[in-house]
Amino acid sequence: MDLVSLADVRAAATDIAPTVLRTPLLPATWDDRLWLKPESLQPVGSFKLRGATHALARLAADRRERGVVTHSSGNHGQALAYAARAAGVRCTVVVPEGAPAVKIDRMRALGATVLLVPPAQRQTEAERVAAETGATLVPPFDDRRIIAGQGTVGLEIVADLPDVDVVLVSVGGGGLASGVSTAVRALRPSATVIGVEPALAADAHESLTSGTLTSWEPERTYRTAADGLRTNLSELTFAHLTERLDRVVTVSEEEIMAATVRLVREARLVVEPSGAVALAARLFHAAELPPGRTVAVVTGGNIDPARLAALLNP
């Protein structure tokens, strides 16, 4: 399979520079060997803006005129809607029922047409819209352009911390972990890149452990509060992670929530549960991780205010 290269990631960095925020590395106040990469500070609240912007930048003019469509539980949909609005392109997002209302509302506010469907039908419905309207399907992770765009997170990590030893990155569909591992392994071969996944949606852990791509049904993955990590790997992301990711660590729901609260209270970052998963590995599974200078990618901050208040005031 044709995997994304470092050159692809560098080209993506050029494409996205006018639109995407170059997020800083923030030192953790409670751990002098830990830095946070706060993608929650992006204009749409997550790293997804990187891949969506790069994918749109690579679309030919005639394809832009027909619009774009995707399926997303929220963050990729917001990112594509934002990038499409900036480029003057129509955008439709197919959203699984049960997605957070705050994310759905934001997609609509950004000008996207939102279609709600049962979780198992999200991809099929997006493909139907593409076939009927001529819109280009921009998948949330199963696309080389998306992977290259997300890989710019890894470029920035190594640029800002050249002697990084460990990078912790969450795994849902695997686009971010594929891109970050591509960049980090190419630029800092001695570094270890570890994926982190909710134990209740651990299809990537199972797939990489067995060496065979395995999918979990929505009934299983929808048990986790980390709604951005309920999707399964694709053949493309599985190939990248098999080749470039060192391993996957799983974390519990209690650990994810505790990490979310730590980020809000001590790092002053508004984060969603999905965004706290990488830090949860550092906080509760340090014995399973290599020592050294560590970066945890904080992937997103699109959390319902009422839910955040309940977490902070149980």
Side-chain angles (χ1 to χ4, degrees):
M1 187 173 289
D2 184 23
L3 302 186
V4 168
S5 68
L6 178 61
D8 294 325
V9 179
R10 283 178 164 152
T14 299
D15 283 346
I16 71 174
T19 303
V20 174
L21 177 67
R22 191 193 189 289
T23 54
L25 284 186
L26 304 179
T29 56
W30 64 89
D31 184 340
D32 63 7
R33 304 286 275 177
L34 174 65
W35 287 260
L36 307 171
K37 180 68 168 168
E39 288 296 292
S40 53
L41 299 180
Q42 292 292 349
V44 295
S46 84
F47 74 93
K48 293 284 191 177
L49 186 59
R50 297 172 181 269
T53 301
H54 180 49
L56 267 179
R58 295 284 157 153
L59 272 187
D62 62 323
R63 302 299 297 272
R64 291 185 177 207
E65 291 178 0
R66 295 177 226 160
V68 292
V69 61
T70 193
H71 55 93
S72 168
S73 62
N75 284 346
H76 175 66
Q78 289 179 80
L80 188 62
Y82 183 97
R85 185 179 69 174
V89 175
R90 294 189 308 277
C91 178
T92 299
V93 185
V94 178
V95 178
E97 294 169 349
V102 65
K103 296 184 179 182
I104 295 172
D105 292 344
R106 187 59 182 155
M107 282 185 274
R108 287 179 171 143
L110 289 167
T113 298
V114 174
L115 304 177
L116 290 169
V117 300
Q121 297 177 20
R122 53 186 280 177
Q123 182 169 342
T124 302
E125 180 65 10
E127 291 170 349
R128 181 195 67 78
V129 171
E132 292 185 0
T133 66
T136 296
L137 180 61
V138 181
F141 54 85
D142 189 25
D143 188 292
R144 296 181 80 259
R145 300 163 301 176
I146 296 293
I147 291 171
Q150 319 304 30
T152 59
V153 170
L155 285 184
E156 294 173 12
I157 288 172
V158 178
D160 290 349
L161 190 66
D163 55 355
V164 62
D165 296 307
V166 183
V167 177
L168 303 174
V169 58
S170 59
V171 182
L176 177 64
S178 294
V180 169
S181 60
T182 294
V184 173
R185 295 295 289 273
L187 294 168
R188 173 74 169 162
S190 63
T192 301
V193 185
I194 296 176
V196 189
E197 194 173 35
L200 295 184
D203 63 284
H205 181 270
E206 181 177 330
S207 297
L208 294 173
T209 301
S210 68
T212 302
L213 180 60
T214 303
S215 294
W216 287 22
E217 296 299 318
E219 291 76 14
R220 296 181 72 186
T221 63
Y222 269 62
R223 296 173 299 164
T224 181
D227 61 275
L229 304 178
R230 291 168 176 167
T231 48
N232 292 290
L233 300 182
S234 67
E235 290 186 5
L236 180 62
T237 56
F238 178 62
H240 280 81
L241 300 187
T242 298
E243 179 75 21
R244 296 169 178 170
L245 195 70
D246 287 282
R247 64 181 183 275
V248 175
V249 172
T250 62
V251 293
S252 71
E253 295 299 292
E254 293 76 16
E255 291 165 348
I256 294 170
M257 295 309 167
T260 302
V261 171
R262 173 69 72 91
L263 285 166
V264 175
R265 291 193 184 280
E266 299 191 36
R268 309 299 192 269
L269 294 172
V270 175
V271 297
E272 59 190 285
S274 301
V277 166
L279 177 62
R282 174 73 175 192
L283 294 177
F284 300 102
H285 298 266
E288 302 173 42
L289 308 176
R293 295 166 292 273
T294 300
V295 173
V297 181
V298 180
T299 56
N302 294 310
I303 186 170
D304 182 89
R307 185 177 191 189
L308 179 60
L311 277 175
L312 297 175
N313 301 285

